[in-house]
Amino acid sequence: MTRKRPVGALLFFILPFGLLFAAFYLAPIAYAIKQSLYKVERTGTFGPAREVFGGLAQYERVFADGPFWESIGRVLLFGVVQVPVMLGLALVLALLLDSGLVKGRRFFRLAFFVPYAVPGVVAAIMWGFLYSPNLSPFSSVTSAVDLLSADLVLWAMANVVTWVYVGYNMLIIYSSLLAIPQEVYEAAKIDGAGAIRTAWSIKIPLVMPAIVLTTVFSIIGTLQLLAEPAVFRTFSSAVTSAYTPNLTVYSTSSIPNFNLAAAFSVVLALATCVLSFAFLKVTQRGGDK
Amino acid sequence: MISPLKRSLPMLVMGACTLYFLVPIWWLLVAASKSRSQFSNTDPLWFADFSLFDNLNELFSYRDGVFLRWMLNSVVYTGGAALLGTVLAAMCGYALAKYRFPGREAIFNVVLSGVLVPATALALPLFLIFSQFNATNTFWSVFLPSLVNPFGVYLARIYATASVPDELLEAARLDGSGEVRTFFTVSTKLMFPALVTIFLFHFVAVWNNFLLPLIMLGNERLFPVTLGLYSWNTQVNQIPELRMLVLTGALVSIIPLVIAFLLLQRFWRNGLGSGAIK
């Protein structure tokens, strides 16, 4: 290329985002790692506190922290059940919308998408009332089965998350269904494939990238579960201050023990990245065959 | 021809799901329209005496109208951050799509890995950094971090590649238009539907962000509406009259987003997933 590179314009385009990204994304990550390597030391019981380098002392505490790993196990269990149910439902609804068997598509699309407009905190408050034994419109169910008991409250939360996000995921899958060229279906029709066969062998493989994307976002979201358990603490004593990893981060930082909370944050962020990255790798390898 | 029998099963599924998604909101609307006494002893799914306006009145006047303040805060945090954040993400993504320069892929990969870093993992370190500058518990401590949207950059790059032809930029250059001017007068028009999608994504993400304000803010007057409702809800057991306020407030808090969704329907209806296909 002979044209001079427009350096000024490039800086104008990239710098504003770049600086903010550096200040509010990269710097916090670096700072969290640094903080997690320090510990607070006191001289005597009532002496002034000062921060000294502690090596991996905080990480030793993280790895020895039983409730934290229990909470990781809990969100993993949550994710293993809730993510497939939610995305399965989203996929079925998207396929039905796309199948031509359904009238009133615009209405359904909107109706399913509306819960996405409800913030997590508000959705949790609302469902908290719907689950309560005496205030619920379904009190015949909720007074017989305590949905807020220790055994069931995790699945009660899973329902809240599912309720909010099915429509959003459905829409992502549905828009990639719309992008499939009609000619692809002609061949299937000539071969005499029915609606279900077409969905299974043509549509689902073609929208796989959208399903992978929604799965990654769902994995990230699950590990970050916070608003729902925070709200449900008011409704159910079964939800402790270490119920999910992010609640642990929050309650540790309000003790306050910032160094330990930073170490929790780092471990959680790493776990999230590793898990979503691993999922991407596995699905990509599957796609190469 | 599709037989009615073949149609009925899918319609049944759609109908059942519609109930699942809409009944809770219907219940909220009904609940918010009832007086405190009727709330617990009338049919939860149907109206009793209509006292929505009394509830709204009480909601907006409670403690010097703090709820209204929360709504305004949310609109400013969310609307401001999403609007400005979309412009910034669009400029960056556009530059990454339309110009070749050393380090381009490196920048893109760093930004892309930012998508995988959960925003909540950043909340605590952000708090620690802001406290170094004595800037926690301020408007800016929530607003500034909310501006950054790496996923928006990713989408903007894809959309810019797909919708802004190089020939057009070349023609603009021949006409003597500067790069920045071309971006704002020509390219943004071509990218407009995509920009609305980025804006919507960003808007919802900030509107839902809970941990950052929870950690950052102590002053009730700075709360976004989600944090405000959360703080009321935690006091419901001590102050029972807050319950009706929480319910009415919950209803009011979802109205702006529902309206935004309805108005911007033609953008999200088909465009939302375009980023996922490529």
Side-chain angles (χ1 to χ4, degrees):
Chain A
M1 276 190 136
T2 50
R3 199 165 42 81
K4 238 184 80 199
R5 196 176 283 135
V7 179
L10 273 180
L11 289 178
F12 175 83
F13 286 138
I14 294 179
L15 264 190
F17 178 86
L19 288 179
L20 287 170
F21 185 76
F24 300 119
Y25 249 83
L26 300 180
I29 295 172
Y31 196 72
I33 294 172
K34 177 179 166 247
Q35 281 294 310
S36 68
L37 297 174
Y38 279 76
K39 59 182 179 184
V40 174
E41 218 162 56
R42 286 170 195 280
T43 40
T45 323
F46 300 105
R50 59 198 180 91
E51 281 197 333
V52 296
F53 186 74
L56 297 177
Q58 304 296 354
Y59 289 96
E60 276 167 32
R61 289 183 63 184
V62 169
F63 283 98
D65 192 310
F68 178 70
W69 293 100
E70 266 173 46
S71 74
I72 295 255
R74 192 175 290 124
V75 288
L76 286 179
L77 174 68
F78 179 102
V80 166
V81 177
Q82 189 265 338
V83 174
V85 168
M86 171 179 70
L87 295 181
L89 186 58
L91 177 63
V92 168
L93 293 180
L95 287 170
L96 281 177
L97 272 184
D98 190 56
S99 68
L101 295 171
V102 170
K103 278 186 181 166
R105 260 178 292 187
R106 274 184 68 164
F107 168 77
F108 288 123
R109 221 167 356 178
L110 190 61
F112 299 171
F113 194 54
V114 161
Y116 186 58
V118 182
V121 174
V122 175
I125 291 175
M126 208 165 69
W127 279 98
F129 281 102
L130 293 176
Y131 291 147
S132 85
N134 35 34
L135 298 173
S136 170
F138 315 105
S139 53
S140 54
V141 178
T142 52
S143 55
V145 189
D146 183 3
L147 293 168
L148 297 168
S149 66
D151 296 332
L152 291 177
V153 72
L154 186 67
W155 308 115
M157 283 185 232
N159 176 52
V160 179
V161 178
T162 308
W163 181 79
V164 173
Y165 287 102
V166 162
Y168 162 77
N169 289 305
M170 176 202 77
L171 210 64
I172 291 185
I173 298 170
Y174 180 63
S175 7
S176 75
L177 279 172
L178 288 181
I180 300 175
Q182 283 303 314
E183 301 90 71
V184 175
Y185 300 133
E186 306 285 315
K189 229 179 202 164
I190 292 166
D191 290 347
I196 292 177
R197 186 69 213 267
T198 311
W200 184 256
S201 324
I202 297 177
K203 292 184 178 180
I204 293 182
L206 282 174
V207 298
M208 221 41 197
I211 297 174
V212 169
L213 184 90
T214 52
T215 311
V216 170
F217 282 156
S218 307
I219 291 175
I220 296 177
T222 305
L223 282 163
Q224 309 312 314
L225 213 59
L226 175 76
E228 291 80 5
V231 168
F232 271 55
R233 292 196 65 192
T234 335
F235 297 112
S236 166
S237 56
V239 182
T240 63
S241 64
Y243 199 74
T244 67
N246 254 334
L247 265 184
T248 306
V249 172
Y250 173 64
S251 37
T252 314
S253 70
S254 47
I255 293 175
N257 185 343
F258 295 128
N259 303 101
L260 182 59
F264 279 130
S265 274
V266 171
V267 171
L268 179 60
L270 270 180
T272 311
C273 282
V274 167
L275 215 65
S276 33
F277 198 71
F279 180 78
L280 280 175
K281 277 285 150 210
V282 168
T283 48
Q284 269 165 13
R285 192 175 307 148
D288 287 342
K289 276 178 207 158
Chain B
M1 268 311 286
I2 300 162
S3 69
L5 197 70
K6 223 174 161 187
R7 237 185 234 289
S8 58
L9 183 66
M11 286 307 278
L12 210 64
V13 175
M14 297 312 253
C17 286
T18 307
L19 285 181
Y20 170 62
F21 290 118
L22 293 188
V23 164
I25 292 176
W26 171 253
W27 170 83
L28 185 65
L29 180 69
V30 170
S33 76
K34 286 179 182 174
S35 68
R36 201 170 299 141
S37 55
Q38 288 187 326
F39 173 64
S40 42
N41 58 28
T42 53
D43 181 355
L45 290 178
W46 196 249
F47 297 100
D49 297 336
F50 195 78
S51 7
L52 177 62
F53 295 108
D54 298 336
N55 289 338
L56 286 175
N57 205 4
E58 201 185 339
L59 175 71
F60 289 130
S61 58
Y62 188 74
R63 271 201 281 175
D64 305 327
V66 73
F67 183 82
L68 204 61
R69 170 88 200 210
W70 292 340
M71 286 298 286
L72 283 177
N73 287 345
S74 272
V75 169
V76 176
Y77 284 127
T78 316
L83 208 60
L84 206 54
T86 302
V87 174
L88 297 180
M91 294 196 318
C92 187
Y94 173 79
L96 292 172
K98 287 289 146 195
Y99 298 93
R100 300 178 163 279
F101 55 93
R104 179 173 81 152
E105 289 309 307
I107 293 178
F108 184 64
N109 285 332
V110 171
V111 173
L112 197 58
S113 57
V115 176
L116 292 187
V117 177
T120 56
L122 301 170
L124 175 77
L126 279 170
F127 170 79
L128 297 176
I129 291 179
F130 273 89
S131 62
Q132 299 272 311
F133 301 99
N134 284 323
T136 57
N137 203 11
T138 58
F139 169 79
W140 298 106
S141 66
V142 173
F143 184 77
L144 288 176
S146 306
L147 287 173
V148 189
N149 176 13
F151 189 56
V153 174
Y154 168 77
L155 290 178
R157 184 189 184 174
I158 289 173
Y159 293 133
T161 309
S163 63
V164 184
D166 284 331
E167 297 76 33
L168 199 68
L169 296 183
E170 213 45 63
R173 275 179 203 123
L174 289 177
D175 285 348
S177 166
E179 305 292 328
V180 173
R181 207 183 114 202
T182 309
F183 171 74
F184 282 108
T185 53
V186 180
S187 310
T188 46
K189 285 208 182 78
L190 295 171
M191 291 168 71
F192 189 72
L195 295 183
V196 177
T197 309
I198 296 175
F199 173 82
L200 265 180
F201 269 124
H202 198 157
F203 192 94
V204 174
V206 180
W207 191 262
N208 279 329
N209 192 353
F210 177 59
L211 185 58
L212 185 68
L214 179 67
I215 283 190
M216 211 54 106
L217 301 176
N219 176 5
E220 187 179 77
R221 308 285 298 174
L222 292 173
F223 282 5
V225 69
T226 44
L227 189 54
L229 285 174
Y230 169 77
S231 73
W232 275 356
N233 192 53
T234 54
Q235 301 165 39
V236 152
N237 291 334
Q238 291 84 41
I239 317 172
E241 53 278 22
L242 276 179
R243 177 180 291 149
M244 285 323 289
L245 296 186
V246 168
L247 286 171
T248 315
L251 179 69
V252 174
S253 77
I254 61 178
I255 290 173
L257 262 187
V258 171
I259 291 176
F261 278 7
L262 284 174
L263 289 180
L264 299 174
Q265 238 192 104
R266 68 190 176 95
F267 293 104
W268 59 258
R269 219 168 43 212
N270 297 329
L272 200 59
S274 323
I277 311 160
K278 313 257 152 60

